[in-house]
Amino acid sequence: MKVLIVGGVAGGASAAARMRRVNEDAEIILFEKGEHISFANCGLPYYIGEVIKEKDKLLVQTPEKMKERFRIDVRINSEVTKIDTVNKRVEVLNHAENKVYTENYDKLILSPGAEPIRPGLPGIDSKRIFTLRNIPDTFRIKDYVDRMNPKRAVVVGAGFIGLEVAENLHLRGVKVTVVELADHVIGPLDYDMAALVHQHLKTKHVEFYLKDAVEAFEDEDAWVNVKLSSGRNLKADMVIMGIGVKPESKIAKEAGIAIGKTGGILVNEYMQTSNEDIYAVGDAVEIRDFVSGKEALIPLAGPANKQGRIAANNIAGLNEKFGGTQGTSIVKVFDITVAVTGNNERILKRNGIEYEKSYTHSASHAGYYPGAIPMSIKLLFGKKDGRILGAQIVGYEGVDKRMDVISTAMRANMTVYDLETLELSYAPPYSSAKDPVNIAGFTASNILKNDVKVFHWDEVGSIDAEKVMLIDVRSPEEHKLGNIKGSVNISVDELRDRQDEVPKDKDIYVYCQVGLRGYLASRILMQKGYKVKNLSGGYKTYQVAVQKQANEDIYEYDKIMKNDDIKPVDVNPESRTADTKIQVDACGLQCPGPIMKVYDTIKSMNYGEILEIKATDPAFAEDIKTWCKTTGNKLIDVRFENNTFKATILKEIKSSDMPEAQKKNDKSMVIFSGDLDRAIASFIIANGAAAMGRKVTMFFTFWGLNILRKPEGANVKKDFLSKMFAFMMPKGSKKLTLSKMSMGGIGGKLIRYLMKKKEVSSLEELIQQAKKNGVTFVACNMSMDIMGIKREELIDGITIGGVATFLGAAEDSDMNLFI
């Protein structure tokens, strides 16, 4: 038997080796149009970044070794240009000798792979624009970086290869800008999980644009100008095209071999094409998606290797079927690991598959053992049967282990109920008694069994406050550091004692940091007769998903110096002169634990002392920057080492620590008017002052008290005159009228409409912002008595005080307004 194999690397080389192992007498010829038959595709970016330092490490197998061990005739620089299916022969172009010849076959295996997409954009042929597919491409890119020492590179496409190249150019000191057409990086991820990657890329000072596209390139003398659809022009020294690949199916199509809907070579479950003597494997073939059964292109090395083996087995008479591809894949993005398997939400919706989803955030191993660091798991599963349809994991350590477990469970058609019962290896350095996979199974199963009902981060914006009460069951400290607008803070530990504050006539939506306390709160309230939903994945999932995702306009080409070190924080050597260093370990604590540790420690330190703190919460690196900026302390350095975030902070004097005689920059306001326009002006000024770090006190008296009234009122006893006052006065901010041009209430509606159209916050939003910014609301006790207003009628968070309360605030102010 004579078997010809077109193309090497994963599919072709594995087919050739397997063919020899099952048939010692077969004549096997492998054609490769390049000079390397088997190389580490996935390692190519790391050679550019000099993580892999030796060229030879990229070669998996050489023609000489292949011939010596397997007696396979390997012909490099030999391109198969035509297939004659009638006479069963191929036409070969020998590039080295520029010679064309033919070769007969009994069986033929096609493994031509896929080629990078290179769109026909103006200027695409510039010598500064590269693609990365093979070893020669790699050498060209690395040689360019070595010789030209580029300041800035633009990477077009934020898939696996694009981000790996971005990371490795970054390691070489090149400022990197990534341009991605989609609204998130890494296509197989869903938006909410990609948001975690976006957050990490920001900490590495990678500039990236989302929902933007390259329209043209303009080659200048010293750089290439990358023109984007948004109108931006990016100057760069080099461009890497990484927008994807397409199957090299041309030779098969020209031979009359059937091509699938996706453009890949059509094969059956035996890897056999429409011609019974021709098989096809690897990135060029259209395969069956394991989850949906639909046609798909999934160019991965693992499936290609398996397909090559299966094709050889079937040629040798060992019947074996290929069961489809899950698309299990993993990628390193700087310090984090991203892994996926199965379908994402977009594909499930496209194929009409009903599903539910859950989010969990678990530690990589036992929290009490040093170095435990969170990972985020998104599980997609059937609504009726709990079948695992897909999974996505983003984390720092142990991601590969968990994804391999879930992927194996998927292949075995297991359900989320099975994930609950999996017996996985446990010791404190490696896992927890309840592994993150078990936790994901528990959470998903609870949803299906109706132990808890959930809502998701993307439903928060549509919550109707008239019908739903949103409760934050975290601690007050966590609530102050960030919360969902409109939520009421009742910690889970206080919930039983404060149950009378939870209305029975509303649906109750609860949330915590990652979902666990929300689940406990849900169980408490459900057993008391409430209709409750818990936010899946908690505030952590919500906060990351709703923040600004892109990282735009952080580099100015002309100001970039070659070989600039890329550091997360500018280090001031003079700040390291303090003799005393206090060390704190906050590892294992979830947000806001590490920040609270910093706060408590800094309070007891002397000025000039340095705090060194370690944490494993991924949010800590950004939180500590914000905290230091807000409090006036000096962040000397923050970095990620050995699965730990380490921050160095110098305690410095800030305005709030100055002697009393020097403190005169607070702001105080008397709000006498209950007019809508004056109320809006008051809160705009208050929020502006609070944003500048000033302490603001607003003293509400007489008609100004109406701003603070609850719109739904309160069940309180009043005498006749008080009832008359209550009837005549506006009940809350939404009932206020304009001081001028009220026109029976039309003016107020008009100004609200214009504010919304101009994207100006409404009065109600301004009030919530002021509360969030720490503005103190003082209601005049005397005015309340005169007007018959009870404390229960006012919104939450109000201090009842008198003139002395206000004058005390006014004495520390450099501005006092009467409105």
Side-chain angles (χ1 to χ4, degrees), residues 658-665 811-812:
M658 292 179 182
E660 288 298 317
Q662 298 178 40
K663 290 171 60 179
K664 293 292 179 184
N665 59 4
E811 285 185 358
D812 286 332

Side-chain angles (χ1 to χ4, degrees), residues 425-679:
S425 59
Y426 160 60
Y430 305 106
S431 184
S432 302
K434 295 177 182 177
D435 189 86
V437 172
N438 297 135
I439 297 295
F442 292 141
T443 303
S445 299
N446 285 340
I447 294 171
L448 292 181
K449 291 184 290 190
N450 281 322
D451 284 351
V452 64
K453 294 184 181 296
V454 296
F455 67 106
H456 297 290
W457 69 269
D458 51 355
E459 299 173 55
V460 171
S462 60
I463 291 175
D464 185 350
E466 298 294 324
K467 299 178 181 178
V468 174
M469 181 178 186
L470 182 61
I471 303 178
D472 180 353
V473 298
R474 301 174 299 165
S475 68
E477 292 78 15
E478 290 173 278
H479 183 77
K480 288 177 184 175
L481 283 172
N483 57 74
I484 298 175
K485 181 181 174 183
S487 62
V488 177
N489 183 212
I490 306 176
S491 72
V492 65
D493 297 329
E494 298 178 331
L495 188 58
R496 293 180 179 89
D497 297 330
R498 297 176 62 183
Q499 184 187 324
D500 58 345
E501 298 177 37
V502 183
K504 286 273 190 178
D505 59 346
K506 287 188 175 185
D507 291 341
I508 309 302
Y509 284 24
V510 301
Y511 72 92
C512 64
Q513 188 65 19
V514 297
L516 175 58
R517 284 172 288 175
Y519 168 67
L520 299 176
S522 297
R523 294 302 302 161
I524 292 170
L525 293 172
M526 286 172 69
Q527 294 177 75
K528 298 294 184 180
Y530 291 91
K531 291 196 292 183
V532 190
K533 287 187 177 182
N534 180 34
L535 177 59
S536 183
Y539 184 73
K540 180 173 182 176
T541 297
Y542 168 83
Q543 188 270 334
V544 172
V546 300
Q547 69 180 356
K548 178 178 170 60
Q549 299 298 316
N551 196 30
E552 302 164 341
D553 302 319
I554 69 170
Y555 294 139
E556 189 173 341
Y557 180 85
D558 296 331
K559 293 183 180 180
I560 299 173
M561 300 299 292
K562 289 192 176 183
N563 282 332
D564 274 356
D565 287 334
I566 299 175
K567 295 185 175 69
V569 176
D570 292 332
V571 176
N572 179 3
E574 295 179 2
S575 298
R576 297 182 179 274
T577 57
D579 295 329
T580 307
K581 287 187 179 180
I582 297 166
Q583 295 183 333
V584 172
D585 188 343
C587 293
L589 296 179
Q590 294 282 347
C591 176
I595 292 294
M596 296 306 298
K597 276 243 183 184
V598 172
Y599 174 70
D600 291 338
T601 306
I602 287 282
K603 279 195 303 184
S604 62
M605 288 169 52
N606 297 317
Y607 296 113
E609 290 183 337
I610 285 179
L611 170 65
E612 291 182 344
I613 182 166
K614 298 188 300 182
T616 48
D617 177 25
F620 178 70
E622 287 302 301
D623 286 349
I624 194 62
K625 294 175 188 176
T626 304
W627 186 86
C628 286
K629 185 176 180 181
T630 303
T631 60
N633 292 289
K634 172 75 174 180
L635 180 59
I636 296 173
D637 191 20
V638 60
R639 64 187 64 195
F640 182 75
E641 293 177 350
N642 301 322
N643 285 335
T644 303
F645 298 94
K646 298 179 181 178
T648 307
I649 305 159
L650 173 71
K651 181 168 182 177
E652 292 189 326
I653 295 178
K654 58 184 185 298
S655 58
S656 60
D657 293 322
M658 292 179 182
E660 288 298 317
Q662 298 178 40
K663 290 171 60 179
K664 293 292 179 184
N665 59 4
D666 293 350
K667 313 296 176 189
S668 56
M669 308 167 68
V670 178
I671 314 300
F672 178 84
S673 172
D675 295 326
L676 174 61
D677 43 347
R678 291 185 172 117

Side-chain angles (χ1 to χ4, degrees), residues 346-361:
R346 184 178 66 256
I347 295 175
L348 291 171
K349 289 175 181 175
R350 186 175 68 205
N351 292 326
I353 299 174
E354 280 196 333
Y355 68 93
E356 184 53 272
K357 57 187 176 182
S358 67
Y359 305 85
T360 52
H361 305 280

Side-chain angles (χ1 to χ4, degrees), residues 36-54:
H36 305 286
I37 59 162
S38 185
F39 56 89
N41 294 61
C42 301
L44 300 182
Y46 298 100
Y47 178 71
I48 295 169
E50 297 185 337
V51 177
I52 299 172
K53 298 185 182 299
E54 300 173 23

Side-chain angles (χ1 to χ4, degrees), residues 322-445:
F322 180 66
T325 297
Q326 294 165 238
T328 306
S329 50
I330 192 166
V331 63
K332 175 182 178 294
V333 183
F334 292 89
D335 300 326
I336 63 172
T337 302
V338 179
V340 298
T341 193
N343 287 179
N344 57 27
E345 288 196 65
R346 184 178 66 256
I347 295 175
L348 291 171
K349 289 175 181 175
R350 186 175 68 205
N351 292 326
I353 299 174
E354 280 196 333
Y355 68 93
E356 184 53 272
K357 57 187 176 182
S358 67
Y359 305 85
T360 52
H361 305 280
S362 306
S364 56
H365 59 250
Y368 58 81
Y369 187 88
I373 192 164
M375 68 175 69
S376 301
I377 301 178
K378 179 175 184 177
L379 208 56
L380 298 158
F381 47 94
K383 267 191 172 181
K384 295 179 180 178
D385 57 7
R387 178 192 170 205
I388 306 166
L389 304 173
Q392 301 162 35
I393 308 181
V394 178
Y396 289 80
E397 184 184 66
V399 170
D400 53 342
K401 168 183 174 180
R402 274 64 184 214
M403 182 52 73
D404 287 345
V405 170
I406 296 174
S407 177
T408 302
M410 239 181 106
R411 179 63 62 163
N413 287 312
M414 296 171 74
T415 68
V416 295
Y417 305 115
D418 296 311
L419 295 186
E420 290 184 281
T421 60
L422 286 180
E423 187 172 332
L424 304 172
S425 59
Y426 160 60
Y430 305 106
S431 184
S432 302
K434 295 177 182 177
D435 189 86
V437 172
N438 297 135
I439 297 295
F442 292 141
T443 303
S445 299

